[in-house]
Amino acid sequence: MMRMRTRHVVFTIGCWMVLALATTPSSAQFLGHNYTGDMGLMAGTQAPPGWTLSGVYLRYDGETLRDRDGNSVAIDPEERGSLDVNSYAISISYVTEKKILGGTYGFSIVPAFTDNRFQAPILAINEKVDTGFTDLYIQPITLGWNTQGADFTAGLGIYAPTGSFEAGADDNLGMGMWSFEIMGGTTIYLDKAKSWNFAAAAFYETHTAKKDTDIKVGDIFTLEGGIGKSFMEGAVNVGVAYFAQWKVTGDNPGGDLQPVFDELFGKHRGFGVGPEVTFPIATKKKLIGFI
């Protein structure tokens, strides 16, 4: 992630390679909208008042499918389709000076693009196609609070089905459903100098039925954050980021094979951990850094 900061404006261009050092693979159940691995060391801290423009690149490399015990499931890649995803997003956020319930009010909109949007990895017949517009994320309200020892944030999010979708198609760029998300997070400072920080942000996601089908994806819970050490008055932050995601309720219905998949895989889950570094390459009126 690259940040360029002035007094009133924060400009961010980010690049996340989602390289989890310890992950569980995807299962047979249908996936939700929330991408894992895009939050980090300051996940529970709201941006300062002003505009924030973020460019994000996410890449997932999928090689194997495994059951609930971690055993590899042999699926012909030509029948399965591609499990690789390249996605690009532009996050436009604004934090005001207004207060609601004591928290600073902000909002954001995130148009995104992708070359693959599979629904359930073991059922996927998707082929990678030309990059196109995928589903739109809108966060109409975020609130942020700051105390001496911790920051807090909360918000509501909506995923609109703006990406192309047709039931059974192999070139879908959207999920064909609305998703609604509530989130809350905190960044805790572990010393008086606020140099050590631990962050955790939780997201709970629900969905409508997919377009022209009776399939309704189960609720999903995601936890992301990290622990780090900052230097140069917070300009440099070094640490370890993590994520964890669980399917909380089952899909309804998932087709005739869903009971078999539930027995083999259970509700899907995934975990990941990896390094994160933020550092400046220029300081004065502007700060430019990379994550």
Side-chain angles (χ1 to χ4, degrees):
M1 180 171 65
M2 181 174 70
R3 294 179 180 148
M4 183 178 298
R5 183 177 302 165
T6 66
R7 181 178 179 183
H8 300 292
V9 180
V10 179
F11 175 67
T12 309
I13 297 177
C15 177
W16 286 266
M17 295 294 291
V18 184
L19 301 176
L21 301 185
T23 65
T24 62
S26 300
S27 76
Q29 289 199 335
F30 287 92
L31 303 181
H33 271 112
N34 190 304
Y35 277 113
T36 53
D38 58 344
M39 304 291 285
L41 299 180
M42 304 297 287
T45 300
Q46 186 184 55
W51 288 99
T52 300
L53 177 63
S54 301
V56 181
Y57 169 60
L58 290 168
R59 177 172 175 81
Y60 287 81
D61 291 315
E63 296 181 354
T64 62
L65 292 166
R66 298 180 184 273
D67 63 18
R68 65 196 310 165
D69 298 319
N71 300 315
S72 179
V73 178
I75 301 292
D76 186 342
E78 293 184 0
E79 296 180 2
R80 181 192 63 199
S82 174
L83 295 180
D84 298 340
V85 179
N86 292 284
S87 293
Y88 316 83
I90 301 172
S91 175
I92 305 169
S93 304
Y94 184 70
V95 177
T96 72
E97 301 283 354
K98 296 181 179 180
K99 301 286 185 177
I100 299 176
L101 301 176
T104 304
Y105 168 71
F107 59 88
S108 62
I109 183 170
V110 186
F113 307 84
T114 188
D115 61 3
N116 197 352
R117 204 65 170 93
F118 50 80
Q119 300 178 63
I122 201 170
L123 299 176
I125 56 174
N126 283 20
E127 296 298 334
K128 296 182 72 173
V129 297
D130 292 339
T131 299
F133 193 50
T134 186
D135 296 340
L136 177 69
Y137 181 65
I138 302 171
Q139 201 169 50
I141 179 171
T142 59
L143 298 176
W145 298 264
N146 305 102
T147 68
Q148 183 63 31
D151 301 328
F152 302 91
T153 186
L156 299 173
I158 301 170
Y159 293 89
T162 53
S164 61
F165 177 86
E166 182 179 344
D170 62 0
D171 58 353
N172 288 328
L173 295 178
M175 302 291 283
M177 63 187 184
W178 291 84
S179 296
F180 306 95
E181 180 182 80
I182 58 173
M183 67 82 62
T186 183
T187 299
I188 300 172
Y189 299 100
L190 305 178
D191 60 346
K192 291 184 179 181
K194 294 187 175 183
S195 63
W196 284 98
N197 47 80
F198 172 77
F203 304 81
Y204 194 90
E205 180 183 351
T206 63
H207 318 91
T208 65
K210 289 180 175 289
K211 178 184 175 183
D212 298 329
T213 76
D214 295 327
I215 297 172
K216 185 176 182 292
V217 178
D219 296 354
I220 296 174
F221 177 76
T222 305
L223 184 67
E224 302 194 35
I227 184 168
K229 168 72 173 177
S230 64
F231 305 90
M232 296 176 59
E233 298 182 349
V236 177
N237 208 358
V238 180
V240 176
Y242 66 87
F243 72 80
Q245 186 177 84
W246 297 268
K247 175 73 71 67
V248 179
T249 63
D251 303 328
N252 182 34
D256 295 338
L257 293 177
Q258 192 63 42
V260 178
F261 292 150
D262 289 345
E263 178 66 23
L264 180 63
F265 294 98
K267 296 182 178 67
H268 82 235
R269 59 196 185 276
F271 310 94
V273 62
E276 179 175 323
V277 179
T278 303
F279 61 91
I281 60 174
T283 58
K284 193 173 181 181
K285 292 184 180 180
K286 298 180 180 179
L287 172 64
I288 304 175
F290 294 90
I291 292 177

